[in-house]
Amino acid sequence: MCKFATRTITVISFVLFFSSAFAIGTAFDAKIDYATGTRPVDIISIDLDGDGHKDLATANFLSNTVSILINNGDGTFQSAVDYYAGYSPFSVFSIDLDGDGDNDLAAGHRLIDNISVLLNNGDGTFSTAVNYTTEHGPSSVFSIDLDSDGDNDLATANENPSNVSILLNNGDGTFQTAVNYTTGFGPQSIFSNDFDGDGNNDLVTANQGSDNVSILLNNGDGTFQTAVNYGAGNGTYSVFSIDLDGDGDNDLAVANTKSDDVSILLNNGDGTFQAAINYSSGEWTCSVYSVDFDGDGDNDLATANGGLPLNFDSSTVSIMLNNGDGTFHTKIVYEAVKNCTSVYSDDLDGDGDNDLAIGNAHSDNISILMNVPYICGDVDGINGMNILDIVYIINYKYKSGPEPEPMDAADVDGTPPINILDIVYLINFKYKDGPAPYCL
């Protein structure tokens, strides 16, 4: 994620209507930064030390390490501990690889032809990396059970030969020789999910060189059918799969660096996909993640927009809320720090909502933003929405009074900027049975 530096609370505002009169919004607190190794280009969150809290791991491209940040239990993190992870780690994935119940690490190396596996000692410390050969340039690594034997295998997207490598697990966290399958040109990202509903985990890659995604359906034994390609935006770079339209099958969200957008490809239910629909996201959109941010039961989008290659200060993060049918609201854009390159979401503070973690490659740190609910219209944060909030907005707008916190709680008609119409809207709601506040 990227740096937010505008006000005491940096807000991404969402709304969920309950049966009560008030609309519940969600904001993100101001970011907190944590140092990592050099050039943290990828980030993941999972419990690494077995205490039930979500820790963090980053792949650090220039320091040849992964950084481990252990969660204190409240969404704050201990200082990073670095482990050598081979030359030029460009991606990191965490899952139980050796079947002992704790989560291990796999790192992909963009500039060479192998991946590194670091087994967890059970306490969030890691053993020395063991390397496994792939094709050249495994820029992305993913782990899941591919051959239905109950253990987690490895799949990599290999940029230079334009293929994927499959390394089946021997059951103890060691891996068989890679088997390779052709994809579109220049795959940068790989993801696995069941696309055709047969219970087996299939593969998708985002192919920057051919501006498309490749779907490789699983035969059920960890071997794969010939890739089928679907067009996306320009500079296809990152792919994520989850149910976006609520129909029970897994769709695709694709980040496109050169067309500065996200492509949504809805699943027909059989592992084939509809034509891409693109949503503007930000300059050089290089990472996409999908989860329910606003608590309404459907999966929204977050993107890391790295900024133009020679203007890293233009980095942003975009949030796009789901309308419930796999279409999305116009992006909400927030300024970032230096070349944010990855975005991940998980419940980091254990309060039941999804927070944000951002990898900032050119500032050598990560940013954490906690998800904080608020009542739309409750601008003073005291006892819900009432006459005092109306007075508060009047004082802010016309008497140089303090800002609402969060600011978007005052935009009750959902139409920026905050103005006299919001004051009238609240009066009508409170005293004239008008419509409920709607902060967006």
Side-chain angles (χ1 to χ4, degrees):
M1 303 301 162
C2 310
K3 181 179 180 181
F4 290 50
T6 53
R7 56 175 81 107
T8 302
I9 294 181
T10 300
V11 176
I12 303 173
S13 179
F14 312 123
V15 174
L16 172 63
F17 286 100
F18 293 98
S19 59
S20 67
F22 298 110
I24 304 299
T26 296
F28 287 106
D29 270 342
K31 60 93 184 176
I32 299 174
D33 294 336
Y34 295 88
T36 65
T38 308
R39 294 286 174 88
V41 291
D42 195 24
I43 189 169
I44 193 168
S45 173
I46 199 169
D47 182 12
L48 295 172
D49 58 357
D51 63 357
H53 307 299
K54 298 301 178 64
D55 310 301
L56 299 171
T58 65
N60 309 314
F61 183 65
L62 291 187
S63 56
N64 301 328
T65 60
V66 291
S67 292
I68 304 300
L69 294 89
I70 298 296
N71 195 326
N72 293 315
D74 58 358
T76 64
F77 293 85
Q78 299 175 28
S79 297
V81 177
D82 294 343
Y83 294 85
Y84 179 74
Y87 182 62
S88 69
F90 203 72
S91 68
V92 63
F93 198 92
S94 182
I95 201 169
D96 184 8
L97 296 173
D98 56 0
D100 63 357
D102 47 49
N103 292 306
D104 310 300
L105 299 175
H109 308 127
R110 188 175 192 177
L111 299 182
I112 54 176
D113 57 358
N114 65 33
I115 58 174
S116 296
V117 171
L118 295 83
L119 296 181
N120 195 327
N121 295 318
D123 57 358
T125 65
F126 291 84
S127 61
T128 301
V130 177
N131 296 331
Y132 294 88
T133 300
T134 64
E135 293 282 85
H136 187 77
S139 56
S140 179
V141 61
F142 198 97
S143 179
I144 199 168
D145 186 6
L146 295 172
D147 56 359
S148 301
D149 64 354
D151 48 47
N152 293 306
D153 309 300
L154 296 172
T156 68
N158 308 313
E159 180 179 12
N160 291 343
S162 299
N163 62 15
V164 297
S165 292
I166 305 301
L167 295 87
L168 296 181
N169 196 328
N170 293 315
D172 58 357
T174 64
F175 293 86
Q176 298 175 28
T177 301
V179 178
N180 304 313
Y181 297 86
T182 301
T183 66
F185 183 67
Q188 300 293 319
S189 174
I190 190 167
F191 202 97
S192 181
N193 212 336
D194 181 8
F195 297 131
D196 55 0
D198 64 356
N200 303 310
N201 291 308
D202 309 304
L203 298 174
V204 59
T205 63
N207 310 314
Q208 187 180 34
S210 49
D211 296 334
N212 60 18
V213 295
S214 295
I215 301 295
L216 294 87
L217 296 181
N218 195 329
N219 294 315
D221 57 358
T223 65
F224 292 84
Q225 298 175 30
T226 301
V228 177
N229 299 327
Y230 296 86
N234 188 10
T236 302
Y237 200 84
S238 173
V239 62
F240 195 96
S241 177
I242 200 168
D243 185 8
L244 295 173
D245 56 1
D247 63 355
D249 48 48
N250 293 305
D251 309 301
L252 302 176
V254 185
N256 306 304
T257 57
K258 295 179 182 179
S259 53
D260 304 332
D261 55 21
V262 172
S263 297
I264 302 301
L265 292 84
L266 297 181
N267 195 328
N268 293 317
D270 58 358
T272 65
F273 291 84
Q274 299 176 28
I277 298 176
N278 300 325
Y279 295 85
S280 175
S281 50
E283 287 184 334
W284 207 260
T285 300
C286 56
S287 180
V288 61
Y289 197 95
S290 180
V291 74
D292 184 8
F293 287 119
D294 54 359
D296 63 356
D298 47 50
N299 293 304
D300 310 302
L301 299 174
T303 66
N305 314 308
L308 296 176
L310 298 179
N311 183 23
F312 296 130
D313 288 331
S314 66
S315 297
T316 62
V317 172
S318 297
I319 300 294
M320 284 169 274
L321 296 181
N322 196 327
N323 294 316
D325 58 357
T327 64
F328 292 85
H329 287 291
T330 301
K331 66 181 181 292
I332 307 169
V333 180
Y334 298 87
E335 292 182 1
V337 191
K338 293 277 188 179
N339 190 216
C340 60
T341 52
S342 60
V343 56
Y344 201 95
S345 180
D346 207 340
D347 182 7
L348 299 175
D349 55 2
D351 64 354
D353 48 46
N354 291 304
D355 310 301
L356 294 173
I358 308 170
N360 304 312
H362 282 263
S363 52
D364 299 336
N365 64 14
I366 61 172
S367 297
I368 303 299
L369 295 91
M370 293 301 171
N371 195 331
V372 181
Y374 67 90
I375 295 176
C376 184
D378 182 15
V379 297
D380 61 4
I382 301 172
N383 298 324
M385 203 287 286
N386 53 42
I387 187 62
L388 296 179
D389 297 292
I390 297 171
V391 173
Y392 195 104
I393 298 175
I394 293 171
N395 284 335
Y396 159 68
K397 192 66 184 174
Y398 302 106
K399 299 291 184 179
S400 300
E403 289 186 356
E405 291 192 9
M407 181 70 79
D408 284 15
D411 185 19
V412 295
D413 63 358
T415 307
I418 298 167
N419 53 34
I420 188 63
L421 296 179
D422 296 292
I423 296 168
V424 172
Y425 195 103
L426 277 184
I427 292 171
N428 284 335
F429 165 67
K430 190 67 179 174
Y431 302 106
K432 299 291 186 179
D433 295 324
Y438 180 72
C439 300
L440 180 60

